Amino acid sequence: MANTTRINDDPIRRIAGMIPLGTDPVAVRQRVMAMEHLLEGLFTIPGINRKIGLDVILDVIPVGGDVIAAAMGAWMVWEARNLGMSKLQMARMFGNVGTDFLLGIIPVIGIIPDFFFRSNTRNLRIIKQHLDRNFPSTATVQG
């Protein structure tokens, strides 16, 4: 019998292997960036080159989708708390998540403000500023 190699191309395992599990600032930066990409930039709409993610897609599910998206956004704030960010910064981040939730909860029309108000991108920017100021070795060069 010939020896065969089985290729395991399970996408969930591949993605899980790319996300670090540590508590160091580099691992937190990578996790938060991955979550922001999942929520805000998963697909590009052809023709207008506008990225959308789960945050907009989950709006199809009334109320429940907004709750799930808000919980995922709140996880980013939890990671910020673990980095030792100030209460003012976390309050701004929770304000972004809350605004996104309240705008998205409007039936049918709630997709439109969710399409334009990107709370997770705003929160990622706040976290990156904190990391760049307090942990400059975690900064990455964007190309």
Side-chain angles (χ1 to χ4, degrees), residues 51-108:
K51 290 187 175 252
I52 64 166
L54 283 181
D55 196 13
V56 173
I57 295 169
L58 286 172
D59 274 341
V60 174
I61 305 168
V63 182
D66 293 308
V67 171
I68 293 168
M72 293 171 84
W75 175 82
M76 290 177 67
V77 181
W78 176 261
E79 287 284 7
R81 179 197 154 294
N82 292 338
L83 286 172
M85 291 179 67
S86 73
K87 290 184 181 187
L88 178 64
Q89 289 171 317
M90 289 189 304
R92 284 182 55 206
M93 293 173 68
F94 269 125
N96 288 335
V97 172
T99 302
D100 190 24
F101 174 73
L102 291 175
L103 291 174
I105 207 165
I106 303 167
V108 182

Side-chain angles (χ1 to χ4, degrees), residues 7-87:
I7 298 175
N8 186 2
D9 57 350
D10 182 19
I12 294 174
R13 285 190 183 183
R14 188 181 60 204
I15 291 170
M18 295 180 340
I19 299 174
L21 299 175
T23 58
D24 58 299
V26 174
V28 171
R29 178 186 284 259
Q30 290 175 346
R31 278 196 308 270
V32 171
M33 288 175 62
M35 180 63 79
E36 187 271 341
H37 177 72
L38 179 70
L39 290 170
E40 304 288 4
L42 206 51
F43 305 105
T44 303
I45 298 175
I48 61 172
N49 283 339
R50 181 78 173 175
K51 290 187 175 252
I52 64 166
L54 283 181
D55 196 13
V56 173
I57 295 169
L58 286 172
D59 274 341
V60 174
I61 305 168
V63 182
D66 293 308
V67 171
I68 293 168
M72 293 171 84
W75 175 82
M76 290 177 67
V77 181
W78 176 261
E79 287 284 7
R81 179 197 154 294
N82 292 338
L83 286 172
M85 291 179 67
S86 73
K87 290 184 181 187

